[in-house]
Amino acid sequence: MEETLQLISSLVTSVAVPLLGIFLFYDSKRRAAAADATRAETENITQYADEWQKLYNEKAQHETLLNTKIDTLYTQLSQQRDELNQLKTRLATLTARLQYTEPLKCTHTTCTRRQPPYTPNQPSQPNNPTTTTQPTQQ
């Protein structure tokens, strides 16, 4: 009987205790594995978030740089428009002067004392080089 009891005790010890340990600690092993999986997933999500944040910051920095360039170009464009307007005004002024002085120019290139063909006080006469007299040299 003692042998039987010892045999049953050894069977319980060799089979039941490990089975009981497996059932008792199965839940904690499963929780540890789930915690490891959750930690790995969290690290993976964190890496994705960091990468996206880095890309967003690079894009924002690039947009800021482009906006600065655009502002500079608008400033340059405004300066060039102002300069163009000044040049157009100067051209208009010079054109008006040229149109005013055009009838006053002398067409005689051979005389030493060139004078305009007419003066504003006298009526204009046609300028004919064959009929005009050369001034005397002094």
Side-chain angles (χ1 to χ4, degrees):
M1 174 104 182
E2 227 173 271
E3 287 182 16
T4 317
L5 195 57
Q6 197 175 23
L7 182 65
I8 292 175
S9 171
S10 71
L11 278 175
V12 167
T13 307
S14 62
V15 173
V17 170
L19 286 176
L20 184 63
I22 290 173
F23 287 124
L24 286 176
F25 296 110
Y26 176 74
D27 190 39
S28 66
K29 287 182 183 178
R30 190 177 68 175
R31 276 187 272 140
D36 289 341
T38 304
R39 189 177 316 113
E41 185 178 346
T42 304
E43 288 175 6
N44 193 14
I45 290 172
T46 304
Q47 287 176 351
Y48 278 128
D50 290 343
E51 187 67 27
W52 278 108
Q53 186 173 11
K54 178 184 168 189
L55 291 173
Y56 174 78
N57 289 338
E58 287 176 4
K59 181 179 181 268
Q61 193 175 28
H62 185 68
E63 284 179 356
T64 304
L65 178 66
L66 289 179
N67 286 338
T68 304
K69 284 183 180 180
I70 288 171
D71 291 342
T72 304
L73 289 175
Y74 273 123
T75 303
Q76 288 177 357
L77 181 64
S78 176
Q79 290 172 352
Q80 288 177 354
R81 284 181 179 162
D82 292 342
E83 184 180 349
L84 182 63
N85 285 338
Q86 289 173 355
L87 290 174
K88 283 182 179 179
T89 304
R90 184 164 182 223
L91 177 64
T93 303
L94 292 175
T95 303
R97 280 188 189 172
L98 179 65
Q99 288 176 352
Y100 175 75
T101 58
E102 187 69 28
L104 300 177
K105 75 177 181 180
C106 182
T107 56
H108 299 287
T109 57
T110 58
C111 64
T112 57
R113 291 187 181 175
R114 297 175 57 182
Q115 294 194 7
Y118 75 96
T119 57
N121 296 340
Q122 299 175 357
S124 73
Q125 298 174 355
N127 197 3
N128 190 349
T130 58
T131 59
T132 50
T133 58
Q134 298 265 337
T136 58
Q137 301 226 353
Q138 298 176 355

